[in-house]
Amino acid sequence: MSDSKTRPAVMADVARRAGVSHQTVSRVLNDHPNVRPETRERVLQAIEELAYRRNSSARALVTRRTNTLGVVAFDTTLYGPASTLFGIEQAAREAGYFISIVSLKTITAKSVSEALDYLAEQSVDGVIVIAPQRTAAEALAALPAAVPVVAVEGGRAPDRPVVCVDQRAGATAATQHLLDLGHRTVWHIAGPMDWLEAEARRDAWRDTLAAAGAPQPDVLSHGDWSPLSGYEAGRRIVERRAAGEDITAVFVANDQMALGALRALREAGLDVPRDVSIVGFDDIPEAEFFSPPLTTVRQDFAALGRNSIGVMLDQIEDGASHPPPRVVVPASLIVRSSTTAVDGDASTDPSG
């Protein structure tokens, strides 16, 4: 006997019976207009044959309260997504809500859609999607407008409320700090090309150099946020300096990659900050214990969580607003010992 005969039918069973995707079933259940009549009829027939309970579909997101919010997260082994998730959990608890989490290894339109369907089966009151990648933001566009959804961290989601850290301002502050110390230009170790945050940090770096009339070098490397990728980029710095490139200041898109770059430079006998000044991004708890302590950009993940829950509860209580809100949490530059003026006068905080 098949599993579908021994338990209540779920959306996946309907999708298999009708020969369509989870997303198509969700659209039919929510009366989405972009479904062909014959497809709609096939899905409705499968619903009837399987005795599928329509009140366990995404419609439940807007018809009853459970005091539970769904969260779709990606790669919570990374500091940014993990800290964002923690901030959301803490803020939800303070607001009297439980959290149901779906953590994805990869973000595609299909995986996000399936995660949302899973949460809909639990009748959550709304869904917060930690959407740092372009594909996650695009997947939100397919959801019915009535579903309470907040996109967090990436900074971009079509027609959806967004809560994010001001990545551009943080990257601008990091780059300008190095220029103000007298460096002729600033080089960049970037994050992955498909991450919206990496894109915002890279674009702000370029724009800051352009506004200052400074030379605009190419990106040293597009890393994967890991110390290893930062180490490999650091080796490129060593090689290019040996070939005559005047690399004295580097803005690294996150602290973990900055850690790898610091090791590569140290192994080559280069001193940070005397030979090369380094600025990171995130202000991970270990950053002040790097050798040397790392100048970096701090993200306020607690504020990110509070604002995310606040925007979600506004939707639940009052419905969607037009245009949807976009809440930007400020970032702040934390100056430590890894940066110095070109004349060698170290620029540090009192504890650095």
Side-chain angles (χ1 to χ4, degrees), residues 10-29:
V10 297
M11 194 176 293
D13 300 324
V14 175
R16 279 193 295 270
R17 175 68 66 91
V20 298
S21 67
H22 283 69
Q23 188 175 20
T24 299
V25 176
S26 180
R27 286 177 172 177
V28 171
L29 290 166

Side-chain angles (χ1 to χ4, degrees), residues 159-171:
D159 300 319
R160 293 292 184 179
V162 168
V163 180
C164 61
V165 173
D166 196 336
Q167 305 293 331
R168 287 191 61 90

Side-chain angles (χ1 to χ4, degrees), residues 183-250:
H183 295 278
R184 190 172 72 89
T185 192
V186 179
W187 296 69
H188 186 43
I189 299 173
M193 297 185 71
D194 58 339
W195 282 63
L196 294 169
E197 294 170 320
E199 177 185 298
R201 296 170 196 177
R202 184 182 66 246
D203 290 350
W205 161 71
R206 292 190 193 278
D207 292 346
T208 305
L209 293 180
Q216 296 199 43
D218 56 317
V219 173
L220 283 163
S221 175
H222 283 275
D224 61 6
W225 302 126
S226 71
L228 176 59
S229 65
Y231 178 82
E232 292 168 346
R235 295 295 302 166
R236 288 196 183 94
I237 294 172
V238 173
E239 292 166 0
R240 295 181 73 156
R241 278 178 59 98
E245 292 273 18
D246 183 26
I247 302 177
T248 66
V250 181

Side-chain angles (χ1 to χ4, degrees), residues 310-326:
V311 171
M312 172 57 71
L313 297 185
D314 285 346
Q315 275 195 93
I316 293 172
E317 295 295 333
D318 304 325
S321 59
H322 300 284
R326 186 174 191 274

Side-chain angles (χ1 to χ4, degrees), residues 62-338:
V62 293
T63 58
R64 64 188 185 190
R65 299 286 184 84
T66 62
N67 271 34
T68 300
L69 299 175
V71 178
V72 179
F74 167 70
D75 199 349
T76 51
T77 62
L78 295 172
Y79 178 75
S83 299
T84 300
L85 178 58
F86 181 75
I88 290 169
E89 285 184 291
Q90 295 299 305
R93 187 176 297 115
E94 291 173 4
Y97 276 77
F98 298 101
I99 291 290
S100 179
I101 302 167
V102 179
S103 184
L104 304 177
K105 288 186 177 180
T106 58
I107 287 186
T108 64
K110 181 180 179 182
S111 68
V112 172
S113 177
E114 289 177 349
L116 292 168
D117 287 342
Y118 170 79
L119 292 170
E121 297 283 342
Q122 301 182 45
S123 300
V124 297
D125 294 338
V127 179
I128 295 174
V129 182
I130 301 175
Q133 287 184 301
R134 189 173 291 104
T135 49
E138 291 169 352
L140 298 180
L143 289 172
V147 177
V149 173
V150 176
V152 181
E153 199 172 83
R156 188 188 309 165
D159 300 319
R160 293 292 184 179
V162 168
V163 180
C164 61
V165 173
D166 196 336
Q167 305 293 331
R168 287 191 61 90
T172 297
T175 307
Q176 191 62 52
H177 169 67
L178 291 166
L179 293 174
D180 290 345
L181 290 173
H183 295 278
R184 190 172 72 89
T185 192
V186 179
W187 296 69
H188 186 43
I189 299 173
M193 297 185 71
D194 58 339
W195 282 63
L196 294 169
E197 294 170 320
E199 177 185 298
R201 296 170 196 177
R202 184 182 66 246
D203 290 350
W205 161 71
R206 292 190 193 278
D207 292 346
T208 305
L209 293 180
Q216 296 199 43
D218 56 317
V219 173
L220 283 163
S221 175
H222 283 275
D224 61 6
W225 302 126
S226 71
L228 176 59
S229 65
Y231 178 82
E232 292 168 346
R235 295 295 302 166
R236 288 196 183 94
I237 294 172
V238 173
E239 292 166 0
R240 295 181 73 156
R241 278 178 59 98
E245 292 273 18
D246 183 26
I247 302 177
T248 66
V250 181
F251 165 44
V252 188
N254 81 328
D255 292 350
Q256 296 285 356
M257 291 194 298
L259 175 61
L262 286 171
R263 175 173 173 175
L265 296 177
R266 185 166 56 249
E267 286 181 351
L270 294 173
D271 181 86
V272 176
R274 188 184 65 237
D275 297 316
V276 182
S277 285
I278 299 285
V279 177
F281 204 108
D282 280 341
D283 194 28
I284 63 175
E286 300 84 1
E288 63 179 311
F289 301 102
F290 285 5
S291 182
L294 184 67
T295 295
T296 186
V297 176
R298 177 176 295 165
Q299 301 194 73
D300 189 343
F301 293 106
L304 193 66
R306 288 193 301 272
N307 281 281
S308 301
I309 295 300
V311 171
M312 172 57 71
L313 297 185
D314 285 346
Q315 275 195 93
I316 293 172
E317 295 295 333
D318 304 325
S321 59
H322 300 284
R326 186 174 191 274
V327 179
V328 180
V329 176
S332 54
L333 181 70
I334 307 299
V335 179
R336 299 192 179 102
S337 309
S338 67

